[in-house]
Amino acid sequence: MEIGIDSFASAMYGENSLSSVDAMEQLLERIVRADEVGLDVFGIGEHHKKEFLDSAPDVILAAAAARTRRILLGSAVKVLSTDDPVRVYQSFATLDLISRGRAEIVVGRGSAIDAYPLFGFNLKDYDALFKEKLELLLNIRDNEYVTWSGQFRPALDNQPVYPRALQEKLPVWLGAGGTPASFVRAGSLGLPLMVAVIGGETERFRPLIDLYREAGREAGYAPEQLKVGLHSPGYVAETDEKAIADYYPGYKELWTKLGNERGWPPVTRGQFDALIAPRGVLVVGGPETVAEKLTRHSKALGGIDRFTFQMDNAGLTHQQLLQSIELIGTKVMPLVKKMQ
């Protein structure tokens, strides 16, 4: 199992919010630390809101590529529906050259809608936009010269797209949040699947992952081509008690704030305790607890190939995040390897 981190480049750390310059520098330091301690992948999301600095993830990843040597660098996720697939490919092909073959793209429709009005797209076209643009992105990825036509973008007639990625087949993952059609789409195309699970019990996604694998088999793809990744909030400290003490206050504050905006009730400690329980979605605890939970999640889902922690969403300080990354690399990953 590959293990890594996903970040939304948050500039908000509870009461001690940072300047954008400092927050960006600290994020790059965390990516360097992840590379140094052996993590497999670091992803940057995409948002267009004041509290996040990830509106241009490929730029952040390129800066990280110049400072790192081995870690895979990708989007988490790239909102493909509101971008031009030609530019997306060019940006990540350039990242692949800078990183000497370490770039990946995780694409999705976006769980937030702020990009649609910003770039002049209509939400009624939510799925149609993604379907068409994914088709074009894969066409560009697989062909130097592209002939293509669609509804939302001018046609291409034997048009070359440069630069080409260093990797012969730039990895493209499909990010999914819970709609069966997304899982079937990923399987039918033979794309690796990244599943975002942020609430409830992780094992409830097993039927959807089975749907993905079945769609892939029916489309003629071998099981080893149908990779499954899992993305969930998490945090590792020296002990379970310290991890909970560090993580809970910021988690409660964030999700209560979101609840006020979206009509959810305030977070309670009982709800949090259920989420950090063995079957719950939050991967929070000491190294052994976290390793056991990742192993349990993998078995419950029929095997997962990658897990990424989303950590910078609970008011944690830069030092806490650095320490957590170090514990993941030096403690959690060896334990997971032994347990598999």
mmCIF file of all heavy atoms in Angstrom, residues 31-61:
data_model
loop_
_atom_site.group_PDB
_atom_site.id
_atom_site.type_symbol
_atom_site.label_atom_id
_atom_site.label_comp_id
_atom_site.label_asym_id
_atom_site.label_seq_id
_atom_site.Cartn_x
_atom_site.Cartn_y
_atom_site.Cartn_z
ATOM 1 N N ILE A 31 6.138 19.105 2.300
ATOM 2 C CA ILE A 31 6.321 18.198 1.167
ATOM 3 C C ILE A 31 7.750 17.667 1.149
ATOM 4 O O ILE A 31 7.987 16.475 0.913
ATOM 5 C CB ILE A 31 5.976 18.902 -0.162
ATOM 6 C CG1 ILE A 31 4.520 19.388 -0.158
ATOM 7 C CG2 ILE A 31 6.189 17.941 -1.334
ATOM 8 C CD1 ILE A 31 4.131 20.202 -1.381
ATOM 9 N N VAL A 32 8.712 18.535 1.432
ATOM 10 C CA VAL A 32 10.112 18.109 1.506
ATOM 11 C C VAL A 32 10.294 17.075 2.612
ATOM 12 O O VAL A 32 10.968 16.045 2.420
ATOM 13 C CB VAL A 32 11.038 19.316 1.724
ATOM 14 C CG1 VAL A 32 12.462 18.862 2.065
ATOM 15 C CG2 VAL A 32 11.054 20.211 0.486
ATOM 16 N N ARG A 33 9.687 17.315 3.772
ATOM 17 C CA ARG A 33 9.799 16.351 4.872
ATOM 18 C C ARG A 33 9.180 15.006 4.489
ATOM 19 O O ARG A 33 9.735 13.938 4.793
ATOM 20 C CB ARG A 33 9.125 16.898 6.128
ATOM 21 C CG ARG A 33 9.198 15.973 7.353
ATOM 22 C CD ARG A 33 10.617 15.761 7.855
ATOM 23 N NE ARG A 33 11.239 17.017 8.232
ATOM 24 C CZ ARG A 33 11.102 17.578 9.440
ATOM 25 N NH1 ARG A 33 10.390 16.980 10.382
ATOM 26 N NH2 ARG A 33 11.698 18.718 9.703
ATOM 27 N N ALA A 34 8.044 15.046 3.807
ATOM 28 C CA ALA A 34 7.404 13.803 3.362
ATOM 29 C C ALA A 34 8.318 13.023 2.423
ATOM 30 O O ALA A 34 8.409 11.789 2.498
ATOM 31 C CB ALA A 34 6.080 14.120 2.668
ATOM 32 N N ASP A 35 9.007 13.729 1.552
ATOM 33 C CA ASP A 35 9.969 13.095 0.647
ATOM 34 C C ASP A 35 11.121 12.488 1.441
ATOM 35 O O ASP A 35 11.534 11.347 1.190
ATOM 36 C CB ASP A 35 10.475 14.144 -0.337
ATOM 37 C CG ASP A 35 11.408 13.578 -1.384
ATOM 38 O OD1 ASP A 35 11.036 12.597 -2.039
ATOM 39 O OD2 ASP A 35 12.518 14.128 -1.546
ATOM 40 N N GLU A 36 11.617 13.215 2.426
ATOM 41 C CA GLU A 36 12.782 12.769 3.195
ATOM 42 C C GLU A 36 12.487 11.524 4.020
ATOM 43 O O GLU A 36 13.367 10.668 4.185
ATOM 44 C CB GLU A 36 13.245 13.898 4.122
ATOM 45 C CG GLU A 36 13.862 15.078 3.391
ATOM 46 C CD GLU A 36 14.117 16.270 4.305
ATOM 47 O OE1 GLU A 36 13.553 16.305 5.433
ATOM 48 O OE2 GLU A 36 14.866 17.169 3.893
ATOM 49 N N VAL A 37 11.275 11.400 4.561
ATOM 50 C CA VAL A 37 10.973 10.273 5.448
ATOM 51 C C VAL A 37 10.326 9.107 4.711
ATOM 52 O O VAL A 37 9.924 8.125 5.337
ATOM 53 C CB VAL A 37 10.097 10.709 6.645
ATOM 54 C CG1 VAL A 37 10.810 11.758 7.478
ATOM 55 C CG2 VAL A 37 8.723 11.188 6.193
ATOM 56 N N GLY A 38 10.206 9.211 3.376
ATOM 57 C CA GLY A 38 9.813 8.042 2.603
ATOM 58 C C GLY A 38 8.366 7.915 2.229
ATOM 59 O O GLY A 38 7.944 6.838 1.756
ATOM 60 N N LEU A 39 7.550 8.951 2.407
ATOM 61 C CA LEU A 39 6.167 8.858 1.958
ATOM 62 C C LEU A 39 6.128 8.698 0.439
ATOM 63 O O LEU A 39 7.032 9.153 -0.273
ATOM 64 C CB LEU A 39 5.344 10.071 2.383
ATOM 65 C CG LEU A 39 4.660 9.953 3.762
ATOM 66 C CD1 LEU A 39 5.691 9.856 4.882
ATOM 67 C CD2 LEU A 39 3.722 11.131 4.006
ATOM 68 N N ASP A 40 5.083 8.072 -0.067
ATOM 69 C CA ASP A 40 5.025 7.729 -1.479
ATOM 70 C C ASP A 40 4.476 8.842 -2.368
ATOM 71 O O ASP A 40 4.862 8.941 -3.539
ATOM 72 C CB ASP A 40 4.150 6.472 -1.671
ATOM 73 C CG ASP A 40 4.741 5.253 -1.011
ATOM 74 O OD1 ASP A 40 5.876 4.882 -1.364
ATOM 75 O OD2 ASP A 40 4.081 4.670 -0.128
ATOM 76 N N VAL A 41 3.568 9.656 -1.836
ATOM 77 C CA VAL A 41 2.878 10.612 -2.695
ATOM 78 C C VAL A 41 2.428 11.823 -1.892
ATOM 79 O O VAL A 41 2.121 11.702 -0.701
ATOM 80 C CB VAL A 41 1.666 9.934 -3.393
ATOM 81 C CG1 VAL A 41 0.674 9.389 -2.379
ATOM 82 C CG2 VAL A 41 0.967 10.865 -4.371
ATOM 83 N N PHE A 42 2.413 12.987 -2.541
ATOM 84 C CA PHE A 42 1.852 14.196 -1.938
ATOM 85 C C PHE A 42 0.961 14.846 -2.983
ATOM 86 O O PHE A 42 1.387 15.100 -4.113
ATOM 87 C CB PHE A 42 2.957 15.169 -1.516
ATOM 88 C CG PHE A 42 2.548 16.086 -0.390
ATOM 89 C CD1 PHE A 42 3.074 15.918 0.881
ATOM 90 C CD2 PHE A 42 1.618 17.100 -0.588
ATOM 91 C CE1 PHE A 42 2.705 16.745 1.935
ATOM 92 C CE2 PHE A 42 1.245 17.936 0.446
ATOM 93 C CZ PHE A 42 1.779 17.764 1.714
ATOM 94 N N GLY A 43 -0.310 15.106 -2.596
ATOM 95 C CA GLY A 43 -1.270 15.703 -3.516
ATOM 96 C C GLY A 43 -1.713 17.080 -3.048
ATOM 97 O O GLY A 43 -1.797 17.342 -1.852
ATOM 98 N N ILE A 44 -2.015 17.948 -4.008
ATOM 99 C CA ILE A 44 -2.534 19.284 -3.723
ATOM 100 C C ILE A 44 -3.916 19.408 -4.357
ATOM 101 O O ILE A 44 -4.094 19.110 -5.547
ATOM 102 C CB ILE A 44 -1.615 20.395 -4.279
ATOM 103 C CG1 ILE A 44 -0.212 20.281 -3.685
ATOM 104 C CG2 ILE A 44 -2.212 21.775 -3.997
ATOM 105 C CD1 ILE A 44 -0.123 20.551 -2.207
ATOM 106 N N GLY A 45 -4.903 19.841 -3.560
ATOM 107 C CA GLY A 45 -6.257 19.990 -4.058
ATOM 108 C C GLY A 45 -6.434 21.237 -4.902
ATOM 109 O O GLY A 45 -5.464 21.911 -5.274
ATOM 110 N N GLU A 46 -7.688 21.547 -5.216
ATOM 111 C CA GLU A 46 -7.998 22.769 -5.957
ATOM 112 C C GLU A 46 -9.259 23.409 -5.389
ATOM 113 O O GLU A 46 -10.323 22.795 -5.379
ATOM 114 C CB GLU A 46 -8.202 22.494 -7.443
ATOM 115 C CG GLU A 46 -8.526 23.762 -8.227
ATOM 116 C CD GLU A 46 -8.867 23.522 -9.688
ATOM 117 O OE1 GLU A 46 -8.565 22.427 -10.202
ATOM 118 O OE2 GLU A 46 -9.452 24.428 -10.321
ATOM 119 N N HIS A 47 -9.114 24.621 -4.902
ATOM 120 C CA HIS A 47 -10.241 25.407 -4.400
ATOM 121 C C HIS A 47 -10.063 26.850 -4.853
ATOM 122 O O HIS A 47 -8.963 27.263 -5.224
ATOM 123 C CB HIS A 47 -10.319 25.349 -2.866
ATOM 124 C CG HIS A 47 -10.547 23.977 -2.329
ATOM 125 N ND1 HIS A 47 -9.509 23.078 -2.161
ATOM 126 C CD2 HIS A 47 -11.680 23.347 -1.930
ATOM 127 C CE1 HIS A 47 -10.008 21.942 -1.677
ATOM 128 N NE2 HIS A 47 -11.313 22.081 -1.535
ATOM 129 N N HIS A 48 -11.125 27.588 -4.797
ATOM 130 C CA HIS A 48 -11.081 28.997 -5.206
ATOM 131 C C HIS A 48 -11.751 29.833 -4.121
ATOM 132 O O HIS A 48 -12.686 30.586 -4.370
ATOM 133 C CB HIS A 48 -11.756 29.169 -6.570
ATOM 134 C CG HIS A 48 -11.093 28.355 -7.646
ATOM 135 N ND1 HIS A 48 -10.024 28.820 -8.379
ATOM 136 C CD2 HIS A 48 -11.316 27.081 -8.071
ATOM 137 C CE1 HIS A 48 -9.622 27.879 -9.225
ATOM 138 N NE2 HIS A 48 -10.386 26.817 -9.051
ATOM 139 N N LYS A 49 -11.246 29.660 -2.899
ATOM 140 C CA LYS A 49 -11.783 30.332 -1.723
ATOM 141 C C LYS A 49 -10.664 31.016 -0.959
ATOM 142 O O LYS A 49 -9.493 30.610 -1.051
ATOM 143 C CB LYS A 49 -12.482 29.323 -0.808
ATOM 144 C CG LYS A 49 -13.673 28.630 -1.438
ATOM 145 C CD LYS A 49 -14.302 27.639 -0.466
ATOM 146 C CE LYS A 49 -15.526 26.975 -1.068
ATOM 147 N NZ LYS A 49 -16.154 26.008 -0.140
ATOM 148 N N LYS A 50 -11.015 32.011 -0.173
ATOM 149 C CA LYS A 50 -10.036 32.830 0.532
ATOM 150 C C LYS A 50 -9.156 32.010 1.464
ATOM 151 O O LYS A 50 -7.948 32.275 1.584
ATOM 152 C CB LYS A 50 -10.760 33.918 1.329
ATOM 153 C CG LYS A 50 -9.826 34.850 2.078
ATOM 154 C CD LYS A 50 -10.607 35.919 2.814
ATOM 155 C CE LYS A 50 -9.675 36.874 3.574
ATOM 156 N NZ LYS A 50 -10.426 37.924 4.296
ATOM 157 N N GLU A 51 -9.721 30.998 2.128
ATOM 158 C CA GLU A 51 -8.962 30.287 3.153
ATOM 159 C C GLU A 51 -8.016 29.224 2.597
ATOM 160 O O GLU A 51 -7.296 28.574 3.353
ATOM 161 C CB GLU A 51 -9.909 29.647 4.168
ATOM 162 C CG GLU A 51 -10.868 28.618 3.595
ATOM 163 C CD GLU A 51 -12.227 29.193 3.235
ATOM 164 O OE1 GLU A 51 -12.266 30.365 2.779
ATOM 165 O OE2 GLU A 51 -13.241 28.492 3.401
ATOM 166 N N PHE A 52 -8.017 29.022 1.279
ATOM 167 C CA PHE A 52 -7.124 28.032 0.667
ATOM 168 C C PHE A 52 -6.224 28.703 -0.361
ATOM 169 O O PHE A 52 -6.625 29.660 -1.028
ATOM 170 C CB PHE A 52 -7.917 26.909 -0.001
ATOM 171 C CG PHE A 52 -8.820 26.167 0.938
ATOM 172 C CD1 PHE A 52 -10.191 26.186 0.767
ATOM 173 C CD2 PHE A 52 -8.302 25.451 2.000
ATOM 174 C CE1 PHE A 52 -11.029 25.507 1.627
ATOM 175 C CE2 PHE A 52 -9.132 24.764 2.871
ATOM 176 C CZ PHE A 52 -10.504 24.791 2.687
ATOM 177 N N LEU A 53 -5.020 28.149 -0.526
ATOM 178 C CA LEU A 53 -4.046 28.716 -1.453
ATOM 179 C C LEU A 53 -3.793 27.789 -2.640
ATOM 180 O O LEU A 53 -2.769 27.900 -3.313
ATOM 181 C CB LEU A 53 -2.727 28.973 -0.716
ATOM 182 C CG LEU A 53 -2.804 29.901 0.498
ATOM 183 C CD1 LEU A 53 -1.460 29.937 1.216
ATOM 184 C CD2 LEU A 53 -3.231 31.303 0.080
ATOM 185 N N ASP A 54 -4.716 26.890 -2.926
ATOM 186 C CA ASP A 54 -4.475 25.847 -3.928
ATOM 187 C C ASP A 54 -5.251 26.050 -5.229
ATOM 188 O O ASP A 54 -5.599 25.085 -5.903
ATOM 189 C CB ASP A 54 -4.799 24.468 -3.333
ATOM 190 C CG ASP A 54 -6.252 24.326 -2.899
ATOM 191 O OD1 ASP A 54 -6.965 25.352 -2.836
ATOM 192 O OD2 ASP A 54 -6.684 23.196 -2.607
ATOM 193 N N SER A 55 -5.491 27.300 -5.628
ATOM 194 C CA SER A 55 -6.218 27.518 -6.885
ATOM 195 C C SER A 55 -5.382 27.120 -8.099
ATOM 196 O O SER A 55 -5.920 26.872 -9.174
ATOM 197 C CB SER A 55 -6.652 28.983 -7.010
ATOM 198 O OG SER A 55 -5.535 29.835 -7.056
ATOM 199 N N ALA A 56 -4.053 27.063 -7.945
ATOM 200 C CA ALA A 56 -3.158 26.647 -9.034
ATOM 201 C C ALA A 56 -2.266 25.511 -8.537
ATOM 202 O O ALA A 56 -1.069 25.692 -8.306
ATOM 203 C CB ALA A 56 -2.317 27.825 -9.512
ATOM 204 N N PRO A 57 -2.819 24.303 -8.343
ATOM 205 C CA PRO A 57 -2.049 23.214 -7.730
ATOM 206 C C PRO A 57 -0.798 22.833 -8.496
ATOM 207 O O PRO A 57 0.215 22.467 -7.900
ATOM 208 C CB PRO A 57 -3.045 22.046 -7.680
ATOM 209 C CG PRO A 57 -4.113 22.400 -8.664
ATOM 210 C CD PRO A 57 -4.199 23.882 -8.665
ATOM 211 N N ASP A 58 -0.840 22.916 -9.831
ATOM 212 C CA ASP A 58 0.328 22.526 -10.615
ATOM 213 C C ASP A 58 1.532 23.436 -10.341
ATOM 214 O O ASP A 58 2.681 22.992 -10.411
ATOM 215 C CB ASP A 58 -0.006 22.513 -12.109
ATOM 216 C CG ASP A 58 -0.695 23.795 -12.562
ATOM 217 O OD1 ASP A 58 -1.735 24.143 -11.975
ATOM 218 O OD2 ASP A 58 -0.208 24.444 -13.504
ATOM 219 N N VAL A 59 1.267 24.705 -10.001
ATOM 220 C CA VAL A 59 2.362 25.626 -9.687
ATOM 221 C C VAL A 59 3.016 25.237 -8.360
ATOM 222 O O VAL A 59 4.251 25.212 -8.237
ATOM 223 C CB VAL A 59 1.856 27.082 -9.639
ATOM 224 C CG1 VAL A 59 2.992 28.033 -9.257
ATOM 225 C CG2 VAL A 59 1.262 27.486 -10.982
ATOM 226 N N ILE A 60 2.187 24.925 -7.367
ATOM 227 C CA ILE A 60 2.724 24.477 -6.074
ATOM 228 C C ILE A 60 3.524 23.193 -6.247
ATOM 229 O O ILE A 60 4.629 23.039 -5.700
ATOM 230 C CB ILE A 60 1.581 24.257 -5.061
ATOM 231 C CG1 ILE A 60 0.809 25.561 -4.827
ATOM 232 C CG2 ILE A 60 2.122 23.709 -3.747
ATOM 233 C CD1 ILE A 60 -0.429 25.386 -3.967
ATOM 234 N N LEU A 61 2.978 22.275 -7.031
ATOM 235 C CA LEU A 61 3.649 20.993 -7.237
ATOM 236 C C LEU A 61 4.975 21.165 -7.973
ATOM 237 O O LEU A 61 5.953 20.452 -7.705
ATOM 238 C CB LEU A 61 2.728 20.044 -8.000
ATOM 239 C CG LEU A 61 1.480 19.600 -7.236
ATOM 240 C CD1 LEU A 61 0.487 18.939 -8.179
ATOM 241 C CD2 LEU A 61 1.840 18.643 -6.093
#
